[in-house]
Amino acid sequence: MEPITIAMPKGRILEDAIALLNRANIPCPDLVESSRKLIFETDDHTLRFILAKPTDVPTYVEYGVADLGIAGKDVLLEEQRDVYELLDLNISPCRMSVAGRIDQSTAFSPRIATKYPRIASTYFRQQGEQVEIIPLNGSIELAPIIGLADRIVDIVSTGTTLKENGLVEKATIASITSRLIANPTSYRLKKRQVVKLFEQLKSVIGGQGIWNGDPVKTSTF
Ligand code: PRP
């Protein structure tokens, strides 16, 4: 039987994801980030894990090179890939927020720096506010401090990065947790294996599943 391939996000979610797999008794080879190895297989060859950049996990799953993946809701909302969202894993909680300087005055068509241009545009369109989106790849909190942007849209977890840079949250756009996602074809063709993993995970996360026989595709927040 072909192994089920699971795309795992490198970085901050990985530790929580591995702990969850362990709790669910899903055999998980030692996915150590410091070794540069990117593919791991269980001894019985039933499961294969690939380590991907978090924003790329839905891409691997959409193209079917991974049957399943673990991805943050932030990435799912931003990437809008053609994948099924099976289960809220309830790990790595944080929020997508608008933040800025306390003393920030309101500008016409303010500039918004973000790693999430799609989420930011959708949010401000829904708010009826005209903004200019400035896409950045990291250290977003720098933008309002040095005058590149009026506000930012970014993930807030502990709030430390905002605090240490003298910024405050102005609004919350969405609550974010990590999700189990599936390739739609794998979901049909490998349903028995997929359901088994789903049930194992669901049994340890307290039934926050959104699976009701008809998996949903990620759309809006
Ligand atoms: C993320 C996010 C914030 C920070 C929030 O950045 O973009 O900057 O974490 O976490 P906190 O509320 O616990 O301080 P990340 O560490 O992924 O690095 P980046 O700035 O390079 O995107």
Side-chain angles (χ1 to χ4, degrees), residues 12 115 137-141 154-162:
R12 63 169 67 205
K115 277 188 288 193
N137 291 306
S139 300
I140 310 300
E141 291 81 359
D154 201 11
I155 288 295
V156 180
S157 177
T158 60
T160 309
T161 314
L162 288 183

Side-chain angles (χ1 to χ4, degrees), residues 89-116:
L89 297 172
N90 236 349
I91 55 170
S92 308
C94 55
R95 53 199 181 272
M96 181 69 61
S97 295
V98 183
R101 288 181 8 217
I102 299 176
D103 58 354
Q104 185 61 56
S105 54
T106 38
F108 173 73
S109 192
R111 289 187 296 193
I112 311 293
T114 186
K115 277 188 288 193
Y116 301 93

